[in-house]
PDB file of all heavy atoms in Angstrom:
ATOM      1  N   HIS K  21     -63.183   0.317-140.474  1.00 78.00           N
ATOM      2  CA  HIS K  21     -62.326   1.508-140.498  1.00 78.00           C
ATOM      3  C   HIS K  21     -60.847   1.229-140.264  1.00 78.00           C
ATOM      4  O   HIS K  21     -60.026   2.135-140.341  1.00 78.00           O
ATOM      5  CB  HIS K  21     -62.799   2.514-139.445  1.00 78.00           C
ATOM      6  CG  HIS K  21     -64.210   2.947-139.644  1.00 78.00           C
ATOM      7  ND1 HIS K  21     -65.243   2.447-138.887  1.00 78.00           N
ATOM      8  CD2 HIS K  21     -64.758   3.798-140.533  1.00 78.00           C
ATOM      9  CE1 HIS K  21     -66.377   2.990-139.286  1.00 78.00           C
ATOM     10  NE2 HIS K  21     -66.118   3.803-140.293  1.00 78.00           N
ATOM     11  N   GLY K  22     -60.477   0.008-139.933  1.00 76.00           N
ATOM     12  CA  GLY K  22     -59.082  -0.318-139.681  1.00 76.00           C
ATOM     13  C   GLY K  22     -58.685   0.004-138.246  1.00 76.00           C
ATOM     14  O   GLY K  22     -59.517   0.405-137.427  1.00 76.00           O
ATOM     15  N   PRO K  23     -57.397  -0.147-137.916  1.00 81.00           N
ATOM     16  CA  PRO K  23     -56.961   0.002-136.533  1.00 81.00           C
ATOM     17  C   PRO K  23     -56.803   1.449-136.062  1.00 81.00           C
ATOM     18  O   PRO K  23     -56.782   1.716-134.861  1.00 81.00           O
ATOM     19  CB  PRO K  23     -55.602  -0.696-136.519  1.00 81.00           C
ATOM     20  CG  PRO K  23     -55.096  -0.517-137.918  1.00 81.00           C
ATOM     21  CD  PRO K  23     -56.324  -0.584-138.793  1.00 81.00           C
ATOM     22  N   GLY K  24     -56.674   2.401-136.969  1.00 87.00           N
ATOM     23  CA  GLY K  24     -56.387   3.774-136.545  1.00 87.00           C
ATOM     24  C   GLY K  24     -54.994   3.850-135.958  1.00 87.00           C
ATOM     25  O   GLY K  24     -54.144   3.002-136.230  1.00 87.00           O
ATOM     26  N   ILE K  25     -54.751   4.850-135.106  1.00 90.00           N
ATOM     27  CA  ILE K  25     -53.426   4.978-134.500  1.00 90.00           C
ATOM     28  C   ILE K  25     -53.371   4.202-133.185  1.00 90.00           C
ATOM     29  O   ILE K  25     -54.403   3.881-132.600  1.00 90.00           O
ATOM     30  CB  ILE K  25     -53.055   6.453-134.242  1.00 90.00           C
ATOM     31  CG1 ILE K  25     -53.971   7.068-133.185  1.00 90.00           C
ATOM     32  CG2 ILE K  25     -53.054   7.248-135.521  1.00 90.00           C
ATOM     33  CD1 ILE K  25     -53.445   8.383-132.619  1.00 90.00           C
ATOM     34  N   ASP K  26     -52.167   3.933-132.737  1.00 91.00           N
ATOM     35  CA  ASP K  26     -51.971   3.326-131.421  1.00 91.00           C
ATOM     36  C   ASP K  26     -52.133   4.436-130.388  1.00 91.00           C
ATOM     37  O   ASP K  26     -51.331   5.369-130.351  1.00 91.00           O
ATOM     38  CB  ASP K  26     -50.574   2.718-131.339  1.00 91.00           C
ATOM     39  CG  ASP K  26     -50.265   2.118-129.984  1.00 91.00           C
ATOM     40  OD1 ASP K  26     -51.142   2.153-129.084  1.00 91.00           O
ATOM     41  OD2 ASP K  26     -49.145   1.620-129.822  1.00 91.00           O
ATOM     42  N   PRO K  27     -53.176   4.386-129.545  1.00 91.00           N
ATOM     43  CA  PRO K  27     -53.419   5.470-128.595  1.00 91.00           C
ATOM     44  C   PRO K  27     -52.288   5.687-127.598  1.00 91.00           C
ATOM     45  O   PRO K  27     -52.169   6.760-127.024  1.00 91.00           O
ATOM     46  CB  PRO K  27     -54.692   5.048-127.871  1.00 91.00           C
ATOM     47  CG  PRO K  27     -55.318   4.010-128.707  1.00 91.00           C
ATOM     48  CD  PRO K  27     -54.217   3.376-129.493  1.00 91.00           C
ATOM     49  N   SER K  28     -51.426   4.687-127.401  1.00 93.00           N
ATOM     50  CA  SER K  28     -50.311   4.879-126.467  1.00 93.00           C
ATOM     51  C   SER K  28     -49.352   5.958-126.967  1.00 93.00           C
ATOM     52  O   SER K  28     -48.571   6.502-126.190  1.00 93.00           O
ATOM     53  CB  SER K  28     -49.570   3.564-126.218  1.00 93.00           C
ATOM     54  OG  SER K  28     -48.936   3.112-127.392  1.00 93.00           O
ATOM     55  N   SER K  29     -49.443   6.321-128.250  1.00 93.00           N
ATOM     56  CA  SER K  29     -48.601   7.395-128.787  1.00 93.00           C
ATOM     57  C   SER K  29     -48.975   8.753-128.182  1.00 93.00           C
ATOM     58  O   SER K  29     -48.214   9.708-128.279  1.00 93.00           O
ATOM     59  CB  SER K  29     -48.694   7.454-130.310  1.00 93.00           C
ATOM     60  OG  SER K  29     -50.011   7.816-130.714  1.00 93.00           O
ATOM     61  N   LEU K  30     -50.143   8.849-127.553  1.00 95.00           N
ATOM     62  CA  LEU K  30     -50.566  10.092-126.908  1.00 95.00           C
ATOM     63  C   LEU K  30     -49.888  10.309-125.549  1.00 95.00           C
ATOM     64  O   LEU K  30     -49.828  11.436-125.057  1.00 95.00           O
ATOM     65  CB  LEU K  30     -52.081  10.100-126.715  1.00 95.00           C
ATOM     66  CG  LEU K  30     -52.914  10.049-127.988  1.00 95.00           C
ATOM     67  CD1 LEU K  30     -54.376   9.784-127.657  1.00 95.00           C
ATOM     68  CD2 LEU K  30     -52.755  11.336-128.762  1.00 95.00           C
ATOM     69  N   VAL K  31     -49.401   9.237-124.937  1.00 96.00           N
ATOM     70  CA  VAL K  31     -48.786   9.340-123.617  1.00 96.00           C
ATOM     71  C   VAL K  31     -47.547  10.231-123.689  1.00 96.00           C
ATOM     72  O   VAL K  31     -46.692  10.070-124.555  1.00 96.00           O
ATOM     73  CB  VAL K  31     -48.427   7.943-123.061  1.00 96.00           C
ATOM     74  CG1 VAL K  31     -47.665   8.060-121.749  1.00 96.00           C
ATOM     75  CG2 VAL K  31     -49.686   7.114-122.872  1.00 96.00           C
ATOM     76  N   GLY K  32     -47.494  11.194-122.784  1.00 96.00           N
ATOM     77  CA  GLY K  32     -46.369  12.126-122.730  1.00 96.00           C
ATOM     78  C   GLY K  32     -46.607  13.420-123.481  1.00 96.00           C
ATOM     79  O   GLY K  32     -45.844  14.371-123.350  1.00 96.00           O
ATOM     80  N   SER K  33     -47.674  13.493-124.272  1.00 97.00           N
ATOM     81  CA  SER K  33     -47.963  14.730-125.003  1.00 97.00           C
ATOM     82  C   SER K  33     -48.826  15.652-124.138  1.00 97.00           C
ATOM     83  O   SER K  33     -49.616  15.197-123.321  1.00 97.00           O
ATOM     84  CB  SER K  33     -48.648  14.437-126.337  1.00 97.00           C
ATOM     85  OG  SER K  33     -49.892  13.809-126.139  1.00 97.00           O
TER      86      SER K  33
END
Side-chain angles (χ1 to χ4, degrees):
H21 301 102
I25 66 165
D26 178 1
S28 66
S29 65
L30 298 169
V31 174
S33 62

